[in-house]
Amino acid sequence: GGNGANGQTALYARGSGAGQVLLVNYGQIAGGGGGGGGGRGGQCVYNQNTQKSCMKGSQCPVTYQNFSQEQGGGGGGGAGYPGGTGGQGSPNGQQGQSNAKGNGGANQSCGAQGGRNGGNLGQNGQSAGQTTGSPGSSGAAIDGVNYITKEVSGTINGPQNNG
């Protein structure tokens, strides 16, 4: 399956030196959630039983095998504004919402695997071992926190990076 996309940065701050930006946050600052990894595909096997001539006037049973590929489920989109788009698959992953992750598309036919869920605000997307695409990383809540003096922090979901 495909890889999940990384979440977006919520607040990007720069100044001429440390503490040059004043933050007054009575609400929430949240990086976008990462997209979930896509599910691994599978292979279907179909047996076709029939008969064919094998000796004069006789019919013998024969089995033919047919194969088809089954696509894994798409990864869910990460939470954010706007929410992340669900990944393509069979079925597609759900779109993320402003306050909720999207679920991965569920598929368990022919050995295929469902996609994994996207991340909530400030969280990485979900993955599971070696069987899916890589999850996306969460977006930073604040990029350039070293330039900020926090007067009122409020709720901050996600990493805070120096610029």
Side-chain angles (χ1 to χ4, degrees):
N3 295 329
N6 293 332
Q8 297 295 308
T9 298
L11 175 63
Y12 180 85
R14 293 293 185 268
S16 59
Q20 294 296 306
V21 179
L22 180 64
L23 176 67
V24 180
N25 173 32
Y26 287 100
Q28 180 180 33
I29 299 173
R40 181 185 61 176
Q43 180 170 289
C44 301
V45 180
Y46 304 98
N47 289 327
Q48 179 184 1
N49 297 315
T50 187
Q51 294 188 356
K52 69 175 190 172
S53 297
C54 57
M55 289 186 227
K56 197 174 223 182
S58 296
Q59 296 288 317
C60 294
V62 64
T63 300
Y64 297 101
Q65 283 192 332
N66 297 308
F67 302 93
S68 69
Q69 302 303 311
E70 178 68 23
Q71 193 176 16
Y81 186 78
T85 302
Q88 292 184 341
S90 177
N92 292 339
Q94 292 178 334
Q95 168 110 8
Q97 304 300 313
S98 60
N99 60 351
K101 66 186 176 195
N103 293 322
N107 186 351
Q108 295 182 331
S109 61
C110 300
Q113 295 192 342
R116 302 304 183 230
N117 297 335
N120 281 317
L121 292 172
Q123 295 180 347
N124 296 334
Q126 187 183 48
S127 71
Q130 301 295 317
T131 59
T132 63
S134 299
S137 298
S138 67
I142 300 174
D143 184 346
V145 69
N146 54 316
Y147 293 101
I148 294 176
T149 298
K150 294 178 184 173
E151 187 170 301
V152 180
S153 291
T155 302
I156 299 177
N157 296 96
Q160 299 178 54
N161 307 325
N162 288 326

Coordinates of all heavy atoms in Angstrom, one line a residue, residues 19 34 82 87 89 102 117 126 128 149 154:
G19 N 12.7 35.1 21.5 CA 11.7 35.8 22.3 C 11.1 37.0 21.6 O 10.4 37.8 22.2
G34 N -0.7 12.8 10.8 CA -0.1 12.1 9.7 C -1.1 11.1 9.1 O -2.0 10.6 9.8
P82 N -7.7 21.9 6.4 CA -8.7 20.8 6.2 C -8.1 19.4 6.5 O -6.9 19.3 6.6 CB -8.9 20.9 4.6 CG -7.6 21.4 4.1 CD -7.1 22.3 5.2
G87 N -6.4 7.6 1.6 CA -5.6 7.0 0.5 C -6.4 6.1 -0.4 O -7.5 5.6 0.0
G89 N -7.4 2.8 -2.4 CA -7.3 1.4 -2.1 C -8.6 0.7 -2.4 O -9.5 1.2 -3.0
G102 N -9.2 10.0 10.0 CA -9.9 9.1 9.1 C -9.5 7.7 9.4 O -8.3 7.4 9.6
N117 N -5.2 3.6 10.2 CA -5.9 4.9 10.6 C -4.9 6.1 10.5 O -3.7 5.9 10.8 CB -6.5 4.8 12.0 CG -7.5 3.8 12.1 OD1 -8.2 3.4 11.1 ND2 -7.8 3.3 13.3
Q126 N -1.0 5.7 11.8 CA -0.8 4.4 12.3 C -0.2 3.5 11.3 O -0.4 3.7 10.1 CB -2.2 3.8 12.7 CG -2.2 2.5 13.4 CD -3.6 2.0 13.6 OE1 -4.4 2.0 12.7 NE2 -3.9 1.6 14.8
A128 N 1.5 -0.8 10.9 CA 1.6 -2.2 11.5 C 2.7 -3.0 10.8 O 2.4 -3.5 9.8 CB 0.3 -2.9 11.5
T149 N 7.9 34.0 23.0 CA 7.7 34.2 24.4 C 6.2 33.8 24.6 O 5.3 34.5 24.0 CB 8.0 35.6 24.9 OG1 9.3 35.9 24.6 CG2 7.6 35.8 26.3
G154 N -2.3 28.0 26.2 CA -3.4 27.2 25.7 C -3.1 25.8 25.5 O -2.2 25.2 26.1

